[in-house]
């Protein structure tokens, strides 16, 4: 199974998305309330296109969702309990992989002991 | 690596892990039954476990603590709800204070372990069912590097 790998890809997207100061700031602002991309762009000294690009990176990491209202695109936070549950279960899986490694080490020791 | 499959279910907050070992069922059962062997693998990385009590029978209780890198202790308890040597083990696991006494009568997670043997090999299936997402998070707080913990806390705050 490639569960771990999928989670790793998801983590790559997440950490890349959050590795930028402006994007973290966007997350904070839309955490307060849903906003259009143009409203967001007005709060920064960079271009509309630059903000649009930042939002796209956040969207790929499933951190935000966009919906259309009239001529505007509204951006809102997308972190629900399920997302949190997936993340935590992936970490719990790693705990068991570690346990598995330790068990194998113990089993190998006892094998050596019983050999003549 | 002998984990053959892992199946997280975020709706029911369960995780099913299947591992295979090159050892007999009796040998793998000892890893659960013998507290000296159990404590060598139960704790997460950097948090070795010490089992001070381990009554491996139906209705039996265990008391243990895990020691962190700074010497801090995190206690836990088990209550064995079903046992069928050497094929099946069910127990509740919960948080305890430093002396190992339960801080909450409600278990954090329910575990079901089944062992199937085949020609000297053993397939171990572990089903962990968490009571609440906060419990899962608390379990994971142990064994994480301090820096990583802070980074994750910052991400969580951001989200």
């Amino acid at each position: 199974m490639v569960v771990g790998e999928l989670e790793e890809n998801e983590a790559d997207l997440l950490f890349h998305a959050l590795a930028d100061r402006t994007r973290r700031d966007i997350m904070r602002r839309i955490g307060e309330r849903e906003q259009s991309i143009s409203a967001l762009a007005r709060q920064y000294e960079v271009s509309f296109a630059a903000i649009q690009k930042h939002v796209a990176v956040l969207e790929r990491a499933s951190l935000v969702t966009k919906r259309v209202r009239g001529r505007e695109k509204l951006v809102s936070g997308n972190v629900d309990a399920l997302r949190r549950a997936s993340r935590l279960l992936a970490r719990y899986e790693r705990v068991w992989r570690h346990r598995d490694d330790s068990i194998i080490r113990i089993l190998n020791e006892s094998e050596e002991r019983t050999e003549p | 690596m002998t984990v053959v499959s892992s199946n997280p279910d975020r709706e029911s907050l369960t995780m099913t892990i299947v591992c295979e070992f090159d050892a007999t069922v009796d040998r793998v059962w000892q890893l659960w039954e013998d507290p000296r062997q159990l404590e060598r693998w139960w704790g997460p990385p950097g948090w070795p476990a010490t089992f001070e009590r381990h009554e491996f029978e139906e209705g039996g209780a265990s008391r243990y603590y895990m020691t962190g890198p700074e010497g801090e202790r995190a206690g836990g308890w088990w209550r064995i709800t079903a046992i069928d040597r050497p094929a099946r083990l069910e127990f509740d696991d919960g948080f305890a204070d430093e002396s190992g006494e339960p801080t909450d009568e409600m278990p954090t997670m329910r575990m079901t372990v089944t062992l199937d043997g085949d020609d000297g090999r053993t397939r171990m299936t572990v089903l962990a069912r968490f009571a609440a997402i906060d419990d899962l998070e608390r379990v994971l707080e142990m064994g994480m590097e301090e820096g990583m913990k802070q980074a994750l806390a910052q991400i969580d705050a951001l989200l």
Side-chain angles (χ1 to χ4, degrees):
Chain A
M1 295 261 294
V2 287
V3 176
E5 213 170 287
L6 283 175
E7 296 294 342
E8 284 297 301
N9 291 341
E10 203 189 331
D12 283 347
L13 287 173
L14 182 69
F15 280 91
H16 168 67
L18 293 172
D20 180 272
R21 184 174 299 224
T22 306
R23 286 198 287 273
R24 288 197 298 274
D25 200 61
I26 291 173
M27 286 301 296
R28 263 193 294 275
R29 284 175 202 265
I30 61 164
E32 286 161 17
R33 64 186 169 86
E34 190 180 47
Q35 298 192 38
S36 68
I37 295 181
S38 43
L40 275 171
R42 280 196 294 275
Q43 299 165 67
Y44 297 96
E45 288 180 350
V46 295
S47 67
F48 176 85
I51 295 301
Q52 208 169 21
K53 251 174 109 178
H54 281 314
V55 170
V57 173
L58 292 170
E59 201 180 8
R60 270 202 298 280
S62 305
L63 287 167
V64 304
T65 48
K66 277 193 297 208
R67 68 184 182 96
V68 178
R69 189 185 63 187
R71 286 188 306 174
E72 283 185 322
K73 276 201 179 121
L74 295 175
V75 186
S76 56
N78 185 35
V79 178
D80 54 13
L82 285 183
R83 200 193 148 78
R84 186 175 162 220
S86 300
R87 210 175 62 220
L88 293 174
L89 285 171
R91 273 159 56 193
Y92 184 63
E93 187 210 17
R94 258 168 259 157
V95 170
W96 269 100
R97 286 186 183 275
H98 174 261
R99 283 177 175 161
D100 182 56
D101 288 343
S102 305
I103 286 175
I104 289 169
R105 215 168 304 133
I106 298 167
L107 291 175
N108 285 344
E109 276 174 23
S110 54
E111 213 169 85
E112 279 160 26
R113 263 206 300 274
T114 53
E115 271 168 21
Chain B
M1 191 69 75
T2 59
V3 175
V4 287
S5 75
S6 65
N7 184 17
D9 184 331
R10 58 190 194 172
E11 266 96 24
S12 61
L13 282 183
T14 58
M15 171 68 90
T16 311
I17 306 260
V18 181
C19 313
E20 273 183 4
F21 301 110
D22 207 3
T24 61
V25 169
D26 281 320
R27 179 67 194 92
V28 176
W29 184 262
Q30 280 172 23
L31 294 164
W32 292 92
E33 185 173 43
D34 176 4
R36 298 292 82 80
Q37 292 183 49
L38 176 59
E39 60 195 11
R40 292 185 59 199
W41 63 270
W42 181 252
W47 287 74
T50 305
F51 277 75
E52 294 188 308
R53 185 170 153 195
H54 194 48
E55 297 160 357
F56 208 61
E57 59 199 21
E58 199 166 309
S62 298
R63 299 284 183 267
Y64 67 96
Y65 60 85
M66 294 172 283
T67 311
E70 312 288 325
E72 66 272 47
R73 281 187 181 189
W77 57 267
W78 285 10
R79 187 171 47 227
I80 294 184
T81 50
I83 198 162
D84 177 16
R85 186 178 208 288
R88 189 180 178 86
L89 168 68
E90 291 181 32
F91 62 96
D92 293 344
D93 180 299
F95 291 111
D97 61 22
E98 287 196 1
S99 64
E101 287 311 305
T103 48
D104 193 340
E105 280 304 307
M106 291 300 291
T108 304
M109 56 179 145
R110 307 210 118 123
M111 309 278 280
T112 303
V113 183
T114 43
L115 302 182
D116 296 295
D118 180 29
D119 201 20
R121 283 183 67 77
T122 300
R123 171 176 285 235
M124 180 170 85
T125 306
V126 178
L127 168 67
R129 185 182 300 276
F130 289 89
I133 193 165
D134 289 338
D135 291 336
L136 170 56
E137 183 145 57
R138 249 182 94 187
V139 167
L140 292 166
E141 273 169 16
M142 275 168 294
M144 279 205 291
E145 296 294 326
E146 199 56 38
M148 188 62 184
K149 210 191 282 183
Q150 280 171 6
L152 288 168
Q154 276 169 10
I155 288 172
D156 284 343
L158 211 54
L159 303 180

